[in-house]
Amino acid sequence: MVVQGEATRITLLVTQTLEQIGISYAVGGSLASSLHGVMRSTLDVDIVADMRLEHIPPLVAALSKEFYADDEMMRDAIEHHSSFNLIHYETAFKVDIFIRKLRDFDTMQLERRRVSVIATDPDRSVYVASPEDTILAKLEWYRMGGEVSDRQWRDILGVLKTRANELDLDYLRKWAGELNVTDLLERALTESN
């Protein structure tokens, strides 16, 4: 499945820069669930990155012509393992960078990431969170959001249905327990059958 348009171009600008600087990353969120499941439009791209303070100057230098990139926001996000955003001047498209938290799940997301083609002619690819990690992250976001987001739930079910025969259910159940979303995972598995 190929994601087209400005979102693709802007995502590639950011991910290629991360790769050039040597920052390990994985695209997540609705772009990942679209690549693994059912396509839906998105107003931003979410990226988990293992970014350190020394990465800030080269990242700002590389992106500041095309993006609003606040080095103080980046520093604060790195120090608190939170997030910052890059805003593309021309389109106002937002790229949210989530700094890898100091927990095993975030490490696993980066270790298990996969290369996925998001544009063709020529083929252009990015690192994307695995289908299992996409489901788990979305379940966690769904819980933190009060379990009311129909879009998040549809994204979860879309990946479960599309990838049903290739998912590692043991891995899903193990990490659902770690993230305290076992009940949501079981509900989603039941609904997706």
Side-chain angles (χ1 to χ4, degrees):
M1 181 178 303
V2 177
V3 182
Q4 297 297 343
E6 286 298 298
T8 302
R9 183 178 72 80
I10 295 164
T11 300
L12 285 165
L13 280 173
V14 173
T15 56
Q16 287 168 344
T17 303
L18 294 174
E19 288 174 24
Q20 287 163 1
I21 295 170
I23 300 170
S24 181
Y25 75 89
V27 172
S30 56
L31 179 53
S33 64
S34 290
L35 290 166
H36 295 310
V38 177
M39 182 61 69
R40 83 162 160 93
S41 63
T42 181
L43 303 173
D44 63 7
V45 168
D46 297 336
I47 297 174
V48 175
D50 190 9
M51 203 172 143
R52 297 184 299 279
L53 292 172
E54 63 263 25
H55 293 134
I56 295 173
L59 187 66
V60 171
L63 294 177
S64 61
K65 281 191 180 104
E66 292 197 63
F67 291 87
Y68 172 76
D70 183 319
D71 59 342
E72 283 304 311
M73 273 179 44
M74 291 179 191
R75 181 170 280 102
D76 186 64
I78 291 168
E79 289 172 355
H80 295 98
H81 294 276
S82 59
S83 65
F84 67 90
N85 50 48
L86 301 166
I87 301 168
H88 189 249
Y89 288 126
E90 188 184 321
T91 62
F93 189 82
K94 193 170 64 147
V95 178
D96 291 319
I97 308 282
F98 293 86
I99 304 302
R100 181 183 67 86
K101 290 181 174 64
L102 298 176
R103 59 183 189 164
D104 293 339
F105 176 65
D106 292 64
T107 302
M108 291 301 297
Q109 275 188 293
L110 291 175
E111 285 178 8
R112 298 179 78 249
R113 66 190 183 159
R114 300 175 175 188
V115 173
S116 186
V117 173
I118 65 166
T120 56
D121 201 21
D123 281 3
R124 309 284 293 282
S125 57
V126 296
Y127 288 104
V128 177
S130 72
E132 293 88 353
D133 293 326
T134 300
I135 292 165
L136 291 163
K138 288 233 164 230
L139 287 169
E140 190 174 37
W141 279 107
Y142 183 73
R143 167 127 307 144
M144 289 188 304
E147 302 178 22
V148 296
S149 172
D150 289 338
R151 283 189 325 184
Q152 292 276 21
W153 194 250
R154 278 195 307 272
D155 288 348
I156 293 162
L157 295 179
V159 178
L160 284 169
K161 288 176 183 174
T162 304
R163 303 287 174 173
N165 296 327
E166 58 195 76
L167 292 172
D168 182 342
L169 293 177
D170 292 336
Y171 178 88
L172 274 171
R173 287 189 168 108
K174 174 193 185 301
W175 287 101
E178 297 277 331
L179 299 172
N180 296 314
V181 293
T182 299
D183 57 324
L184 293 177
L185 173 63
E186 295 305 327
R187 187 176 119 205
L189 286 168
T190 300
E191 283 185 33
S192 66
N193 279 331

